[in-house]
Amino acid sequence: MTPASLPALLRRLWAQDTFVYSLRVCIALGTVMTLCWTQKRMELVMPVFLGIIACALAETDDNWRGRLRALLATLGCFAVAGFAVQWLFPRPLLFALALPLAAFCLTMLGAIGERYRAIAQGTLILALYAAIGTERLASGDTAAWREPVLLLSGAAWYGLLSVAWAALFAHQPVQQNLARLYQVLGDYLRLKSMLFEPVRGIDVERRRMALARHNGEVVQALNMAKESLFRRLGGAPPQRRVGRYLSLYFIAQDVHERASSSHEAYGELTDVFFHSDVMYRCQRLLALQGRACEDLAEAIRLRQPFEKRGGSLQAMADLRAALQYLRQQPAPQADGERWGRLLRSLQALADNLAALDTQLVSASHPPVRGAADDSSLFDRSPRTVRDALERVRVQFTPASALFRHALRLALALAAGFAVLHLIHMRQGYWILLTTLFVCRPNYGDTRLRMVQRVAGTIGGLLAGWALLQLFPSLLLQSVFAVVAGVAFFATRTTRYAFATGAITLLVLLGFNQAGNGYDLIVPRLVDTVAGALIAGAAVFLVLPDWQGRRLEKVAAQAVAASARYLQEIMSQYGSGKRDDLAYRLARRNAHNADAALSTALANMVQAPSFFYRGAEAGIRFLVQSHTLLNYLSALGAHRHALPGDAGQALVERAAAFVVGSLEDLALQLAAHQAPAAEDGEALGLAQALEQLPEESDETGRRMQIQLALICRMIGPLRNRAARLVTPPAAGAVPATADAR
């Protein structure tokens, strides 16, 4: 490596969120290890380390003031949990009652918001850490308060470091979240470009399914970027740098709406224009725009100027030339009306891609939003204590996934506590800790965690045994322990098995500083297997969360959100385009609901085979629902105030019909009722819209054609909904899906 490349490497590392997170943890662990080593108090290492880990796991993104408030709340919860464990430990019956109750109540607090969910999870983790430490010291004469005080010391040290970090590098999380957003947008555009591949016979439905699943990642990235920005804005006007990031966020929203737009069935376009290169031109332009999003992500991440490459300008010119050539060709005599309609859809697509390109160009110097622009972001956090308690109250029903998970976790911890006392296992509280980490809200994630946890523990124990053999020096082992802790936090969200091995290694080497690490190898392995099995049994037997049993309700939410999105779009065709909060909220809710349906289906296919007989119907419905959302996005991308004309009454009637049909369909799905087949009114409205006279301006005509496409979706969507409610019997041959 040349000296000149070292600063560039460090800059790239600094731009990575995992590196920054790991560096903070490294400083916290390293300073504690150094202090304990120099003071020859190595017996203090593990409880302080565990306090640091619990606090780091309870951390959420916020500005320094919000993080300080969260730290005080976290330390308060940790103190109550730590001292309660000390008091309850000699009283097993009370402990057996208190632990499941605490697990249930703390898990239910997750209904309030992500911050409370993280603090609650961290509190449970610290309580079990306190039980593990108390069990190890039960035979000694150590003061009862020592273990919780050491845990709190570690948590306070990491928390103060985190608050100082948030004050010094206030905008770094926003920058990283925006970079990730544009990265996944680039991937989305590349996937979308594959739909324009000018080849007959490709599986368009499979590609639409992949696009729908990736749309969930885009929605998640948008939500993370929005929350990160909201924490920095508060109620004050944005500062210059935050204002620039806010503009980039709004550009990303517009790019997402335009990227998710569909102006026609792609298979039909391929068939009609197969002998032209126009589809290839669309594909190439979208791919170049995807690359531009990735370049913008890199520029944001490294805080470098962004200049969009010029290749898309030529690609845009080539696309317009191809369209001009097609317009000069005589329409087929047998199907001239269809030719003209598809040409108009291609022109709308080209205009949409041109607007998308303009938005990416503007990212070089994001425009400052004026006072007339609505730059507000929707605050999803509770406003009052009453609001927070109400959010928890509405979740107290077996229909709530959070309630089922809370009850499941509470019973699993109770079962684990009973097992460790019945068979008197050494270091038995590792069973409860494993159960807590492995038990997830759905079966698929829990099953995966079981395998990863056991495999990672075995790998960590083998690595720990080898290091204890090869490096008997306690100083070297302490260095390895710090490195293992950093590795855990660097990989815990992406490579869980490796992270489990790292934390196992840290525990083994850390406890070896003040005892015999070899004594932990067998108990740790046995306890991990037992805890994983208990978690697996709980998620399978206690109110199992089979997605197939509630798929209709998730689908109903997606359909209802699409109806509200259409209402907001049509209101702007009457009053003029404005990206106000109401419109952006309706659009985001529609995409959130679409992502939730995709996630539910992904979880459903991971369940035992006899519980997802309707998965095929669910996947077909998702394709139809996502296609409807694509058509709505195209309608929203071209919204503009329209002058009244002869077709206005028909447009209003068609829009009202679609909204009413979608709302009725949502109610029927929520009630588990199979909708009746479409009676032909939707097709009649679509044909009437397509046959309106050409006197309308181009924007109006484009809107009418797009609304006709949406009307044509009602019938296929109702058919797929009927199969979703009453899936075909096992062994039946599924009908071919409408690939529109």
Side-chain angles (χ1 to χ4, degrees):
M1 179 184 300
T2 62
S5 63
L6 182 59
L9 175 62
L10 292 177
R11 188 169 186 173
R12 286 186 174 276
L13 286 175
W14 181 254
Q16 301 296 323
D17 54 346
T18 53
F19 175 80
V20 174
Y21 187 30
S22 303
L23 179 61
R24 197 160 57 240
V25 171
C26 182
I27 293 172
L29 297 178
T31 51
V32 168
M33 182 65 79
T34 301
L35 183 62
C36 291
W37 184 266
T38 55
Q39 298 298 314
K40 302 187 185 304
R41 298 297 304 275
M42 298 305 292
E43 74 278 4
L44 306 181
V45 167
M46 268 323 291
V48 179
F49 267 26
L50 293 177
I52 290 172
I53 292 170
C55 189
L57 292 175
E59 181 183 37
T60 52
D61 176 41
D62 210 335
N63 59 38
W64 73 268
R65 294 182 184 85
R67 196 165 290 190
L68 180 59
R69 290 192 295 268
L71 173 62
L72 294 176
T74 300
L75 292 178
C77 292
F78 281 11
V80 172
F83 286 107
V85 167
Q86 287 292 322
W87 185 78
L88 290 169
F89 194 84
R91 304 168 177 84
L93 288 179
L94 286 178
F95 202 138
L97 294 174
L99 180 63
L101 180 62
F104 178 82
C105 294
L106 287 170
T107 303
M108 290 300 296
L109 287 179
I112 301 176
E114 177 63 22
R115 176 187 296 174
Y116 299 91
R117 185 204 63 78
I119 293 175
Q121 177 81 356
T123 302
L124 280 175
I125 292 169
L126 184 123
L128 294 180
Y129 283 162
I132 290 169
T134 304
E135 182 186 31
R136 286 179 56 81
L137 300 173
S139 58
D141 56 356
T142 306
W145 51 264
R146 196 195 81 156
E147 193 70 18
V149 167
L150 290 174
L151 288 167
L152 283 172
S153 299
W157 165 229
Y158 179 82
L160 291 174
L161 181 63
S162 176
V163 171
W165 201 284
L168 291 172
F169 310 107
H171 302 125
Q172 192 175 45
V174 181
Q175 172 188 331
Q176 292 165 344
N177 285 329
L178 279 173
R180 180 179 179 272
L181 169 58
Y182 276 99
Q183 183 66 49
V184 295
L185 269 176
D187 296 337
Y188 184 87
L189 285 168
R190 288 178 180 272
L191 277 174
K192 183 67 178 284
S193 70
M194 295 175 64
L195 290 174
F196 292 92
E197 188 172 2
V199 178
R200 287 172 175 162
I202 62 172
D203 192 345
V204 175
E205 183 174 304
R206 182 179 296 275
R207 296 188 180 187
R208 277 196 175 276
M209 183 66 193
L211 198 65
R213 288 175 175 169
H214 192 75
N215 187 59
E217 295 184 30
V218 179
V219 170
Q220 182 185 30
L222 278 164
N223 291 337
M224 289 178 64
K226 175 252 178 183
E227 289 299 323
S228 190
L229 277 164
F230 186 80
R231 299 302 177 194
R232 272 76 188 172
L233 285 170
Q239 299 175 353
R240 181 173 177 273
R241 188 172 172 188
V242 177
R244 177 178 180 272
Y245 288 148
L246 186 63
S247 296
L248 285 170
Y249 170 72
F250 286 129
I251 289 173
Q253 281 195 322
D254 190 79
V255 168
H256 180 225
E257 181 172 57
R258 294 186 180 280
S260 59
S261 299
S262 289
H263 297 81
E264 191 52 78
Y266 298 115
E268 191 172 3
L269 289 172
T270 299
D271 287 340
V272 173
F273 302 114
F274 184 76
H275 298 288
S276 166
D277 65 353
V278 67
M279 298 298 289
Y280 164 74
R281 300 297 177 189
C282 294
Q283 182 184 36
R284 183 169 182 272
L285 181 56
L286 261 178
L288 288 173
Q289 290 170 341
R291 187 188 303 168
C293 284
E294 293 167 357
D295 292 342
L296 178 55
E298 186 76 356
I300 295 172
R301 187 177 291 114
L302 300 178
R303 294 184 60 188
Q304 294 176 341
F306 168 69
E307 291 297 334
K308 188 172 174 294
R309 303 184 192 185
S312 60
L313 293 177
Q314 184 60 49
M316 189 74 241
D318 292 343
L319 174 58
R320 293 193 183 281
L323 279 170
Q324 182 62 27
Y325 175 79
L326 285 174
R327 279 193 292 268
Q328 293 172 354
Q329 303 306 305
Q333 294 183 356
D335 205 0
E337 182 180 340
R338 183 187 183 206
W339 174 273
R341 174 173 59 84
L342 294 180
L343 262 182
R344 184 176 283 107
S345 295
L346 274 179
Q347 184 61 54
L349 171 61
D351 292 344
N352 186 50
L353 293 178
L356 196 159
D357 214 57
T358 301
Q359 289 283 23
L360 291 176
V361 170
S362 71
S364 301
H365 303 284
V368 178
R369 296 175 72 86
D373 296 320
D374 186 354
S375 298
S376 56
L377 299 175
F378 184 67
D379 184 7
R380 297 183 183 271
S381 60
R383 305 294 178 87
T384 62
V385 174
R386 183 176 181 179
D387 184 18
L389 294 177
E390 178 63 19
R391 292 190 184 194
V392 176
R393 187 195 65 79
V394 298
Q395 296 293 326
F396 270 85
T397 168
S400 164
L402 181 64
F403 176 88
R404 294 195 298 272
H405 175 58
L407 183 62
R408 197 180 300 134
L409 180 61
L411 294 177
L413 290 176
F417 189 83
V419 167
L420 74 90
H421 278 278
L422 285 174
I423 61 180
H424 303 288
M425 297 181 69
R426 293 177 56 208
Q427 304 296 327
Y429 284 88
W430 291 110
I431 295 176
L432 303 183
L433 194 66
T434 299
T435 300
L436 177 62
F437 279 118
V438 170
C439 190
R440 309 301 295 166
N442 62 76
Y443 175 83
D445 286 348
T446 301
R447 184 179 63 179
L448 182 61
R449 278 287 180 95
M450 287 174 63
V451 176
Q452 291 175 334
R453 189 82 183 180
V454 173
T457 299
I458 294 173
L461 292 174
L462 290 175
W465 176 83
L467 290 177
L468 290 175
Q469 291 284 334
L470 294 173
F471 303 99
S473 168
L474 292 180
L475 179 59
L476 279 176
Q477 291 175 16
S478 66
V479 174
F480 290 141
V482 172
V483 171
V486 173
F488 166 73
F489 282 97
T491 59
R492 70 184 184 89
T493 58
T494 55
R495 301 175 61 189
Y496 187 72
F498 184 87
T500 299
I503 198 67
T504 301
L505 182 59
L506 179 146
V507 169
L508 203 61
L509 297 177
F511 278 121
N512 195 60
Q513 298 294 314
N516 186 0
Y518 292 102
D519 293 342
L520 287 176
I521 294 178
V522 174
R524 173 82 178 187
L525 177 59
V526 174
D527 292 352
T528 296
V529 173
L533 290 175
I534 290 171
V539 80
F540 188 84
L541 299 174
V542 181
L543 295 178
D545 196 34
W546 311 130
Q547 298 291 338
R549 297 180 179 177
R550 67 183 190 95
L551 193 60
E552 296 91 344
K553 292 186 177 180
V554 182
Q557 292 167 359
V559 173
S562 293
R564 290 190 290 273
Y565 184 24
L566 177 58
Q567 284 178 312
E568 282 296 327
I569 292 171
M570 296 309 299
S571 71
Q572 297 209 2
Y573 273 101
S575 60
K577 178 179 179 179
R578 61 190 187 282
D579 280 331
D580 56 6
L581 180 60
Y583 177 80
R584 287 186 277 113
L585 185 59
R587 178 175 62 190
R588 186 58 43 226
N589 287 340
H591 281 281
N592 281 336
D594 181 76
L597 179 58
S598 177
T599 301
L601 279 166
N603 293 333
M604 183 178 175
V605 297
Q606 295 181 55
S609 58
F610 47 86
F611 284 110
Y612 62 85
R613 184 167 57 91
E616 178 71 19
I619 291 171
R620 305 286 178 142
F621 181 87
L622 173 63
V623 172
Q624 294 294 326
S625 175
H626 187 70
T627 303
L628 171 65
L629 182 57
N630 292 158
Y631 289 158
L632 290 173
S633 296
L635 196 63
H638 297 291
R639 66 192 188 280
H640 191 275
L642 298 175
D645 56 26
Q648 187 64 28
L650 178 60
V651 166
E652 292 176 355
R653 177 187 162 200
F657 170 79
V658 172
V659 169
S661 296
L662 293 177
E663 290 175 341
D664 290 344
L665 180 57
L667 291 174
Q668 290 170 324
L669 283 169
H672 198 76
Q673 297 175 356
E678 214 285 308
D679 59 5
E681 184 177 358
L683 289 178
L685 286 169
Q687 291 171 357
L689 286 167
E690 291 167 350
Q691 294 169 2
L692 281 173
E694 297 289 341
E695 293 90 32
S696 301
D697 69 335
E698 186 60 30
T699 302
R701 190 64 181 135
R702 183 176 295 167
M703 183 267 285
Q704 294 161 4
I705 296 298
Q706 200 66 32
L707 192 56
L709 282 171
I710 294 170
C711 287
R712 291 185 182 277
M713 286 296 302
I714 297 299
L717 194 65
R718 292 176 69 87
N719 292 337
R720 292 303 170 198
R723 287 183 174 272
L724 187 65
V725 174
T726 56
V733 178
T736 303
D738 185 346
R740 295 180 69 88

